[in-house]
Amino acid sequence: MRKVKAAVAGAVIGLAVLLTPAAAQAEDNGNGNSTCDRYEICFRALESHTRFSVNWNFSHSFYYSYGAHSLIRVYNNDHAWSGTLGNKAIGFWNRDSECRVQILDYDTYGYEWFYADLPRDYRGDAGYSMNDAHKRCNRW
Amino acid sequence: MASERWSPSTSERRWARLAAAATAALVAALTATACGGDPPAGLGAVDERNPLAVFLGESLGLIDYAQLKLRNECLAGAGYPQNLETMMDQPVPAFSMFVITPRTFGPTTEQEARRIGFGRDEQAEPSPVVSSDPNYDRAIDSCGGKAWDRLGDDVQDAYYAYFDLGNKISGTLMTTISERLDKSLPAKMLACVRAAGYDADDERQFLKTPRPALLGVPFGTVDPAPDTGWRPARKPGTIEVGPAIPARPYRPTAQESELAVAWLRCREQTTLADQQLTAAISVQKELVAKHETSFVELNPRIRRIAKQATELIGTS
């Protein structure tokens, strides 16, 4: 029978295990430019900081789905400060060539749920506060 | 419909009773807000199992797919077949998770809990098509506009307005459901998993967000995709097609499968599962009533456009 489990990881580590993306997506940052270009899926983040008022333009872009924005490091415009994209996105631009894009995160009890479905060519600043992952052409 | 994904069970019958009661309340609420006590024109019958079935997600997905297919056929006619050759072969329903079932909140049988743990299988993704050719860029813009025109007048407005409506609902649906749950449930879940032999490494965090990932058990992964790190070379004048990503299964660890079974039992013992369904139906009812005007205005337009889409591409 199962015995009481030893605590082996903190909350952040535990979530990181759950949210680890597939290796195929690990290097995805679109075409590598800091702009949001045609055919990319782009996220804009905003974060207040004691030293910087950071309002990243389109902080990170993708060509594929990605399961853990908490693993994406983004920088402010002069690279003086960085942080994780996480679920800080406040703006989205879906320029994908073929797909709608679902914005996903976990509910209170840890089950994945989608918080938005962005059509092609949609650009907006709606604040879907739960946005730690995204999926292209997803069927659920 | 997604409601066919689950099989009859005790929880289904219990849920059906909850749904029937909530639907009666919904009908009453909608009737009360309509002029003269008549049901609001255009909203149609309410699905007794899921009030948000009034959201026409399949029609919206069909419209989206039709515009894409018409655009890609136009592109192929202009000498750019890449998109048509790689696009998905069927529509993807929009907001399909609005159809809430017991499965929405996790596995409903011990067999399923063992198989999938806390993960999800990944579905296939079509290739991204990336142009470094300004002629192609102009063609895709032109073909996209023509595709919208073939679907009718003011179609784009209705299409984006309906996505806005869906996103207003999806942005608050699950968070509101969670807010409605009994505040003692996290402590009850913790006591239950402790009785099953597990413990949270951070009790305070677990009581705030009672997630199984906080129970110190290693989780599995989705099988890696065969192609990694693709990035277009961006040679001027070229159109590049990235690798498509195949569907891949999620493979839980043995410990995760075991925990998933215990978690399912605790969800039932603490009434978390029942409360989630009850709250879901109640919140859906409120959201339908809140956005009734938008539904009444947009649903007939979406139905009309979907009919035109079916006639154009032959998909029902």
Side-chain angles (χ1 to χ4, degrees):
Chain A
M1 289 296 290
R2 172 169 296 283
K3 303 300 180 186
V4 173
K5 298 289 179 182
V8 295
V12 173
I13 295 172
L15 287 175
V17 170
L18 189 60
L19 294 166
T20 299
Q25 301 155 326
E27 301 299 324
D28 186 4
N29 64 343
N31 64 17
N33 289 353
S34 59
T35 51
C36 184
D37 295 324
R38 279 176 178 264
Y39 318 115
E40 292 183 315
I41 301 161
C42 307
F43 293 82
R44 185 167 73 83
L46 173 68
E47 182 164 312
S48 296
H49 189 272
T50 52
R51 293 179 58 201
F52 304 103
S53 177
V54 180
N55 186 353
W56 289 295
N57 193 8
F58 280 97
S59 316
H60 200 95
S61 48
F62 301 86
Y63 284 130
Y64 290 98
S65 300
Y66 200 92
H69 293 176
S70 55
L71 301 180
I72 297 289
R73 184 153 291 275
V74 292
Y75 301 85
N76 72 330
N77 292 337
D78 60 3
H79 277 233
W81 194 86
S82 70
T84 56
L85 179 59
N87 60 11
K88 300 190 192 78
I90 59 163
F92 309 91
W93 195 353
N94 178 14
R95 308 190 77 181
D96 192 281
S97 58
E98 299 298 314
C99 289
R100 303 196 313 264
V101 173
Q102 282 187 356
I103 304 298
L104 304 106
D105 212 318
Y106 290 88
D107 68 15
T108 304
Y109 282 82
Y111 203 62
E112 197 171 27
W113 176 259
F114 86 99
Y115 291 85
D117 190 335
L118 310 179
R120 287 174 287 113
D121 300 322
Y122 171 85
R123 179 180 184 177
D125 288 332
Y128 310 114
S129 59
M130 307 288 279
N131 54 62
D132 195 58
H134 71 272
K135 290 182 188 287
R136 301 170 67 234
C137 287
N138 198 33
R139 299 192 65 81
W140 54 265
Chain B
M1 292 295 289
S3 58
E4 295 171 359
R5 289 179 300 190
W6 51 286
S7 57
S9 64
T10 301
S11 61
E12 179 192 5
R13 290 191 293 274
R14 188 164 57 235
W15 182 49
R17 288 196 298 274
L18 295 169
T23 301
L26 170 64
V27 171
L30 292 178
T31 302
T33 56
C35 294
D38 294 330
L43 195 54
V46 174
D47 185 330
E48 68 172 29
R49 289 181 169 179
N50 194 321
L52 269 177
V54 299
F55 190 92
L56 304 174
E58 289 195 8
S59 294
L60 186 59
L62 174 62
I63 294 165
D64 180 65
Y65 181 78
Q67 193 273 343
L68 182 68
K69 188 172 183 183
L70 293 170
R71 184 201 73 176
N72 290 347
E73 287 173 349
C74 170
L75 272 174
Y80 303 107
Q82 295 90 339
N83 296 76
L84 189 62
E85 291 170 351
T86 57
M87 70 178 289
M88 294 187 77
D89 59 4
Q90 59 182 321
V92 177
F95 300 97
S96 55
M97 284 179 80
F98 281 175
V99 182
I100 287 183
T101 73
R103 184 65 184 82
T104 298
F105 301 98
T108 55
T109 66
E110 294 190 5
Q111 182 182 21
E112 186 187 15
R114 280 196 184 88
R115 187 192 79 76
I116 198 69
F118 297 98
R120 288 185 188 270
D121 297 330
E122 291 288 338
Q123 296 168 358
E125 282 183 51
S127 297
V129 180
V130 179
S131 157
S132 301
D133 179 350
N135 292 323
Y136 171 94
D137 295 341
R138 280 190 287 273
I140 199 170
D141 289 345
S142 172
C143 286
K146 289 175 183 172
W148 285 120
D149 290 344
R150 290 185 67 188
L151 286 165
D153 295 332
D154 300 325
V155 168
Q156 261 184 293
D157 288 346
Y159 170 86
Y160 284 107
Y162 214 58
F163 271 104
D164 282 343
L165 173 61
N167 284 328
K168 283 177 187 170
I169 293 169
S170 63
T172 59
L173 178 59
M174 189 56 78
T175 51
T176 309
I177 291 169
S178 296
E179 288 167 5
R180 299 285 174 85
L181 302 177
D182 190 332
K183 299 299 183 285
S184 68
L185 278 171
K188 290 177 178 173
M189 283 295 289
L190 183 57
C192 184
V193 295
R194 277 177 173 161
Y198 300 89
D199 204 358
D201 48 294
D202 184 337
E203 179 174 331
R204 187 177 168 195
Q205 181 62 38
F206 187 91
L207 292 175
K208 185 179 176 186
T209 54
R211 296 176 173 175
L214 301 175
L215 295 173
V217 168
F219 283 83
T221 58
V222 173
D223 282 357
D227 298 287
T228 61
W230 179 79
R231 184 183 290 184
R234 302 175 68 201
K235 183 180 176 184
T238 62
I239 300 151
E240 298 172 74
V241 179
I245 305 293
R248 293 159 293 146
Y250 178 81
R251 300 191 191 281
T253 65
Q255 301 98 311
E256 178 187 356
S257 291
E258 215 173 324
L259 172 60
V261 171
W263 189 261
L264 171 61
R265 292 172 182 163
C266 287
R267 289 185 64 240
E268 292 173 346
Q269 286 175 23
T270 61
T271 73
L272 170 60
D274 274 354
Q275 288 195 35
Q276 285 175 316
L277 283 171
T278 305
I281 294 168
S282 173
V283 172
Q284 285 199 24
K285 176 188 72 176
E286 293 166 19
L287 288 169
V288 171
K290 179 179 180 182
H291 297 288
E292 179 194 338
T293 303
S294 297
F295 279 117
V296 170
E297 181 206 340
L298 290 170
N299 275 15
R301 294 170 69 186
I302 294 297
R303 284 196 186 92
R304 189 165 55 246
I305 301 164
K307 184 179 177 186
Q308 173 70 2
T310 301
E311 290 173 1
L312 284 170
I313 66 169
T315 302
S316 59

